[in-house]
Amino acid sequence: MVAIQTDGLTKRFGSGEAGVLALNDLDLTVEEGEVFGFLGPNGAGKSTTINILLNFIDPTAGSAEVLGHDVQTESKQVRQRTGVLPEGAEAFERLTPREHIAWVEDAKGIDADTDAILDTVGIADAADRKAGGFSKGMQQRLGLGMALAGDPDLLILDEPSSGLDPTGMKEMRQLIREQAASGTTVFFSSHILSEVEAVCDRVAILNRGRLVAIDSIDGLRDALGTGSTMTLTVDAVPDSLTLAEIAGVSDVVVDGRIIRVSVDDAPAKVDVIDRIRDDGASILDVTIEESSLEDLFSAYTGDVPPRVNGTEVER
Amino acid sequence: MTLPTLWLTIARKEFADALRSRMIWGIVGIIAVMSSLSAGISLLVPDVEGGAEMAIGGASQFAGLLVPIMALIAAYLAIAGERESGSLKVILGLPPSRGEVLLGKFLGRSGVVAIGLSLGFVVSGVVTVILYGGLPMVAFIGTTVLTVLLGVSFVGIAIGISAVTATRARAMTLAITAYLGLTLLWDLAPNAVHLLITGEMPGGVVPAWFLLLEGLSPTGAYNALVQRLLLGSGAAVDARIGGPAPSYLDPAVFLGILFAWAVVPLLVGYLRFRRADLS
């Protein structure tokens, strides 16, 4: 069974010159039972994707299904079966955590084990205190508790560790593992690689609205192997780029006039340069770096300076 | 467990939240004090024969100005405030639809305003009994019900405003505009139209359409209905227009106007909110 499926999902905010393409033709499949990490820098389109899945915004093009339900026409069913931790969730200041969970019970028509949930997320001590004075981290824990209530089939967590201290982040990872062990699909976004590395079955890396990589952590590691990443700046990317045929080339990503090539064999590097020239492009610059997983993330996402309107894109 | 009636769940939560915020007691207090004062004011003025009806009339005059602003304050942030803070996403991440959220908030806040106004009026009713030695129950209860209707109309306007705005600041701007326009500036409109059509300001006797224009705002409709209720007949209207009143000045019309002011802004708000980008 498929938990989340998106098909050509595209979102443009505004129109014309001032418009921002927040999400560009995203195809994504998350299987049931997976822990799926949705990775990318701020402004990459992670929250935009999650907002579409929850029907907070309409896609400009494309479609998405969650647990077999169309996110636009059957949003109620989606939200009935999903536990959601929205981005920057703010608690209701005049309600206690216990009342927050009761509210979820009412809204979903379920019965939850409130004490167990509050204990799990570590705010059992504050169960009957009004949430008005809660720190960002406590609000985040409460939000997670609300998402867990009723043992949903799918958890959608938008930056779950934001506002948490290192201990809290560790507990969050532990909690995600436990949920996964009990069969819950977990889809969570993060801009921190180490966070997803520790718990995810698979990750997708998003940058500037585009999916730039999707694989298991091991797959990403294997793809990199002992190899390296070549970043080539060309005058114009040839229409018939044939780099993928070269033995020793494991991945090719084109971003504007920049071609990134993952190379497993050292001799293949020269072949890559020759082939690009044969295809008819002039190479303006070449950098080669030996890759770690961190490098992979930054190679996909970090070389582009953060856009000034980055926060606006991440709406 | 079956699915709950979600709008009712939200309405209950809104109501409970208003109790916690003590907003409702603010409404009770202000209405009780102001309407008691205005009920008693005719006793302070020498040479004026004041009765209990007049006291209720005085209270309704104050209510016509106060209730709109209180209802607007009680509800203008219902959606826009939570949209800005992000807690709207907590609610909409749960099964309720946007329509259910809107309806629930309208009913919850209307309940708060209705109960606050009623309790406030009960206090001023007691004061009236003490000052005048009696209370005409039909006029009193009728005025209370009409005042509640006025409050609910402005809650509908406020929720509509809240649904079409994404920020607190914008919601506040629109709420203030609505208050000024509907309660203070509206009275100028019939005069301006009169001046345009007849070339002179309205005198002692005015055309019938003039009264309809006056009564097209929620406060205008409320005033027309209260006047009719307290006088028990349309004699004042007939005197004002110098002849029998046409059917469009029937109280039912003004009642319809009051209802429309609750429902139409709510519908417009819903249509805009239904597919708004909440990001």
Side-chain angles (χ1 to χ4, degrees):
Chain A
M1 252 312 256
V2 173
I4 298 174
Q5 174 133 28
T6 74
D7 211 348
L9 207 58
T10 301
K11 178 64 181 182
R12 176 180 286 281
F13 288 108
S15 56
E17 285 287 302
V20 176
L21 194 59
L23 197 60
N24 190 352
D25 199 20
L26 178 71
D27 294 323
L28 197 66
T29 303
V30 177
E31 298 292 334
E32 242 169 49
E34 270 192 304
V35 177
F36 194 94
F38 201 41
L39 205 57
N42 291 330
K46 305 188 298 290
S47 286
T48 299
T49 306
I50 289 175
N51 284 342
I52 292 174
L53 294 181
L54 298 174
N55 200 29
F56 294 161
I57 59 179
D58 287 337
T60 311
S63 63
E65 282 188 5
V66 172
L67 300 167
H69 300 290
D70 184 271
V71 297
Q72 285 182 277
T73 58
E74 300 172 304
S75 177
K76 209 179 243 305
Q77 289 92 319
V78 169
R79 290 174 289 141
Q80 180 68 36
R81 296 179 57 193
T82 305
V84 178
L85 176 67
E87 178 196 25
E90 195 164 287
F92 297 99
E93 55 182 359
R94 284 186 284 271
L95 297 185
T96 67
R98 197 180 293 284
E99 288 165 335
H100 275 84
I101 303 293
W103 160 236
V104 176
E105 291 179 298
D106 286 347
K108 281 192 165 176
I110 49 153
D111 290 310
D113 188 343
T114 305
D115 288 314
I117 288 170
L118 294 179
D119 192 50
T120 303
V121 298
I123 52 170
D125 292 349
D128 295 305
R129 251 169 55 201
K130 288 194 166 60
F134 280 15
S135 68
K136 182 92 174 53
M138 282 178 82
Q139 292 197 33
Q140 196 76 357
R141 287 165 184 267
L142 175 54
L144 187 67
M146 292 171 77
L148 293 177
D151 195 16
D153 301 326
L154 168 69
L155 285 171
I156 294 182
L157 315 173
D158 201 351
E159 297 277 353
S161 63
S162 78
L164 294 180
D165 57 23
T167 315
M169 288 168 84
K170 199 174 154 199
E171 287 170 12
M172 174 73 73
R173 287 197 290 271
Q174 181 60 32
L175 203 148
I176 288 175
R177 278 196 209 95
E178 284 165 15
Q179 287 297 314
S182 72
T184 308
T185 310
V186 184
F187 179 85
F188 77 99
S189 71
S190 176
H191 61 279
I192 305 165
L193 176 75
S194 56
E195 187 174 278
V196 303
E197 191 183 355
V199 291
C200 286
D201 300 317
R202 287 199 302 151
V203 297
I205 299 178
L206 205 63
N207 190 36
R208 295 203 292 163
R210 278 188 172 280
L211 186 67
V212 289
I214 179 164
D215 205 342
S216 65
I217 293 287
D218 285 344
L220 289 176
R221 241 188 254 286
D222 289 349
L224 289 157
T226 54
S228 47
T229 303
M230 302 178 69
T231 305
L232 303 104
T233 309
V234 295
D235 58 347
V237 174
D239 289 335
S240 58
L241 198 63
T242 52
L243 292 176
E245 301 167 8
I246 301 171
V249 168
S250 58
D251 193 25
V252 179
V253 177
V254 177
D255 183 5
R257 292 192 294 123
I258 296 170
I259 306 172
R260 277 191 208 84
V261 187
S262 304
V263 183
D264 295 336
D265 290 339
K269 291 173 192 164
V270 180
D271 295 342
V272 165
I273 291 173
D274 286 345
R275 185 65 70 94
I276 289 179
R277 283 191 174 140
D278 290 348
D279 286 343
S282 298
I283 298 173
L284 305 176
D285 192 15
V286 182
T287 57
I288 298 174
E289 47 195 12
E290 300 303 308
S291 303
S292 69
L293 209 51
E294 286 291 347
D295 290 336
L296 174 89
F297 183 41
S298 51
Y300 277 133
T301 61
D303 65 326
V304 184
R307 291 159 62 117
V308 179
N309 57 357
T311 49
E312 208 180 334
V313 180
E314 185 81 3
R315 291 187 299 185
Chain B
M1 211 173 136
T2 55
L3 266 179
T5 315
L6 291 172
W7 54 266
L8 196 61
T9 303
I10 293 166
R12 270 207 313 269
K13 175 175 176 295
E14 286 296 305
F15 191 80
D17 205 45
L19 286 182
R20 286 191 190 86
S21 75
R22 294 189 276 277
M23 177 165 76
I24 194 167
W25 304 117
I27 295 175
V28 173
I30 292 171
I31 284 294
V33 169
M34 296 310 285
S35 58
S36 300
L37 274 180
S38 58
I41 213 147
S42 57
L43 287 182
L44 302 174
V45 184
D47 302 331
V48 174
E49 273 304 301
E53 274 94 354
M54 204 162 163
I56 294 171
S60 81
Q61 288 294 309
F62 262 99
L65 284 176
L66 271 180
V67 167
I69 193 80
M70 285 194 299
L72 284 167
I73 289 172
Y76 83 102
L77 283 180
I79 291 166
E82 294 192 350
R83 193 165 161 186
E84 186 170 309
S85 76
S87 50
L88 187 62
K89 283 188 182 173
V90 176
I91 295 178
L92 289 175
L94 292 164
S97 68
R98 297 191 193 184
E100 285 163 337
V101 169
L102 204 71
L103 182 62
K105 291 204 174 258
F106 170 69
L107 292 175
R109 307 264 167 151
S110 291
V112 170
V113 168
I115 290 177
L117 292 176
S118 302
L119 290 178
F121 262 71
V122 166
V123 173
S124 79
V126 170
V127 170
T128 307
V129 169
I130 292 168
L131 292 178
Y132 297 90
L135 186 68
M137 285 314 283
V138 172
F140 175 73
I141 291 173
T143 304
T144 305
V145 169
L146 288 174
T147 307
V148 165
L149 267 181
L150 176 67
V152 170
S153 295
F154 272 94
V155 170
I157 292 166
I159 296 283
I161 286 172
S162 207
V164 302
T165 49
T167 64
R168 290 161 172 268
R170 182 122 181 79
M172 180 180 273
T173 308
L174 280 183
I176 291 170
T177 307
Y179 179 71
L180 292 178
L182 292 178
T183 64
L184 301 179
L185 295 179
W186 193 283
D187 285 351
L188 301 178
N191 291 318
V193 173
H194 193 278
L195 189 62
L196 276 176
I197 291 179
T198 66
E200 55 195 43
M201 288 302 281
V205 173
V206 295
W209 57 258
F210 186 88
L211 295 190
L212 179 66
L213 272 186
E214 270 188 346
L216 279 182
S217 76
T219 312
Y222 167 77
N223 286 336
L225 287 166
V226 170
Q227 185 193 48
R228 173 72 181 232
L229 175 74
L230 293 181
L231 297 176
S233 75
V237 173
D238 295 349
R240 187 103 192 270
I241 60 178
S247 56
Y248 62 76
L249 292 181
D250 195 81
V253 172
F254 294 112
L255 214 50
I257 291 169
L258 217 44
F259 273 109
W261 274 110
V263 174
V264 174
L266 210 55
L267 278 179
V268 172
Y270 172 65
L271 292 176
R272 290 279 298 274
F273 182 57
R274 193 174 45 159
R275 296 248 62 97
D277 269 1
L278 305 179
S279 44

